[in-house]
Structures are given as structure tokens and as C-alpha cells.
Amino acid sequence: QQAYNANEEEYTELAEANVTEDTETGRPIVDFAALQLQNPEIVGWVQIPGTVVNYPVTQHADNDYYLNHSFLDRYDEFGAVFMDYRSASDLSGWNTVIYGHHLQNGNMFAKVADYSNQAEFDTLQNLYYVTSDGTVHVLVPLCCMVVNGYDVDSIQFDFSDQAAFESYVQSLIDRSSARSATATASGVSHIYMLSTCSYEHDNDRTILVCVDLNG
């Protein structure tokens, strides 16, 4: 616990030093030049307003490294928030997947696990994802589900065409335990997934699916 307290203080200091708020829109403004001096593998920033989720997003050549390395690129059992290596950091792919540990003290992506409950999901407003060029993407929650970690079909990256991708998105909506009242796969060309461990059953994962407000 003491080790994580130090880790969380580093995240807080990082946010205070490198993230400000647009006074007109409330959207985050992120100094990526400063962040990437600390770690060039920082590719984005994710924020859920009103929660502790306000973290840099790292990306490595595999999905193992940041399970136990911090955003400062050093060994840390609590890891970092990171993007799947199969996702394009410039968001040019179909699916942007971001992982974070579910810590029992409520930090990292613990809050994400709550959104599998419809009542909690309904409290969720827009999220923000900022790319390394400073572009702020406003994310609208689409649905949330709990899946088994061995379910290889729940997270996919490659699709033959738009119709195949929409079919996949609709399957996510259909299997979700919480969803937007207007949830639809029609016209969706890109999704964001925030994934964390769920403690409901062994090896479960909670996945929050969002779409870009601007398409």
C-alpha cells in the first residue's frame, strides 16, 4: 500500500504539472512534449471527469511490459495504464483498447468496473481521450460488459469491412449488462475500449465501450 501511495502521488504530480483545463469547454489540455521527455512511450491521456481516472496512456511492443512498469518506465508492481500494442496510437484502426489495473483502493481503472451496473453507467457522462498531437476526443459511453479473460472474441482489431465491424459492435451491445438508451452500431466506424479486471468471477474483465462524439 505504501508503494502504491508513492505511485499515485507521482500520477497526481504528473497531472498537475502537465494537464490544464480549457476554461470554456472543460476539456483537458495536455503538454505531451514534457510528458514524452519522461517517457517517449506515452502516446495519449485518458480522463473520466469526476473520477480518479486521469492518467497518461503508454504503449509498448507487447501487452506485458506495462503490467509491471510505471509510466516512468521503471519496474512497478502496480503497472501503468497502457494501450494494446495492436491498436494504432494515431487512432487509424478500428478499435483503441486501453488497459488499467483494478486496484482495491479505488485507483487506476477500478472505477471502470462499476459501469457494468446500469445505474452506475447512467451516471457516466463524456470521457476524454487526448492523442499525442494534442487532439481532444470526446468519448460517449456506448455499453459495458463483463467477459471472461479467455474470451478471445470480446476484443477484436481486424475487420474485412464496415459491415463486419458494425456486426461486431452490435454483438458487444447485445451482450452488455449496461448500455446507452440510444446504443446502436449503425454508422460506428471506431470504438474505444477501457478494460480492467473484474472480481465477480475468476479471470473476468470489465470492458467499457465508447464512441467518438465526432464520429
Side-chain angles (χ1 to χ4, degrees), residues 2-212:
Q2 183 177 0
Y4 186 73
N5 284 340
N7 177 290
E8 189 62 20
E9 286 178 6
E10 289 178 339
Y11 277 114
T12 300
E13 291 173 0
L14 187 78
E16 290 176 349
N18 299 285
V19 182
T20 55
E21 182 179 294
D22 187 305
T23 55
E24 293 185 3
T25 65
R27 299 178 182 182
I29 300 171
V30 183
D31 185 351
F32 279 101
L35 290 177
Q36 291 176 340
L37 287 176
Q38 299 184 65
N39 183 357
E41 291 194 331
I42 294 176
V43 297
W45 192 278
V46 63
Q47 183 185 99
I48 304 179
T51 75
V52 299
V53 179
N54 190 32
Y55 296 114
V57 177
T58 55
Q59 187 181 41
H60 196 65
D62 58 53
N63 286 340
D64 297 324
Y65 187 79
Y66 284 110
L67 289 174
N68 54 20
H69 284 79
S70 77
F71 71 92
L72 291 174
D73 196 24
R74 67 186 182 212
Y75 180 81
D76 188 319
E77 64 180 304
F78 299 104
V81 173
F82 66 95
M83 183 182 294
D84 195 295
Y85 74 96
R86 294 165 291 183
S87 291
S89 62
D90 64 358
L91 311 183
S92 59
W94 297 96
N95 192 359
T96 300
V97 181
I98 301 171
Y99 304 99
H101 284 310
H102 179 169
L103 298 185
Q104 294 184 358
N105 66 358
N107 287 313
M108 298 295 278
F109 268 14
K111 186 60 184 175
V112 172
D114 294 341
Y115 297 128
S116 62
N117 174 279
Q118 186 68 54
E120 285 290 332
F121 183 90
D122 290 341
T123 69
L124 185 58
Q125 302 298 315
N126 293 338
L127 295 68
Y128 297 116
Y129 182 74
V130 190
T131 50
S132 59
D133 65 357
T135 302
V136 180
H137 296 265
V138 181
L139 311 187
V140 179
L142 183 69
C143 62
C144 191
M145 71 207 76
V146 177
V147 303
N148 188 272
Y150 298 113
D151 180 357
V152 296
D153 293 327
S154 59
I155 297 179
Q156 299 180 31
F157 297 90
D158 299 316
F159 303 90
S160 58
D161 54 27
Q162 176 68 24
F165 179 65
E166 288 186 14
S167 177
Y168 166 67
V169 175
Q170 188 60 53
S171 74
L172 299 177
I173 296 171
D174 291 344
R175 69 190 295 187
S176 64
S177 57
R179 63 182 66 89
S180 164
T182 58
T184 178
S186 178
V188 175
S189 59
H190 185 93
I191 58 173
Y192 300 76
M193 287 180 154
L194 274 61
S195 176
T196 193
C197 290
S198 174
Y199 296 128
E200 294 183 22
H201 301 96
D202 184 50
N203 202 40
D204 276 357
R205 303 288 186 272
T206 301
I207 301 175
L208 173 64
V209 184
C210 303
V211 294
D212 201 312

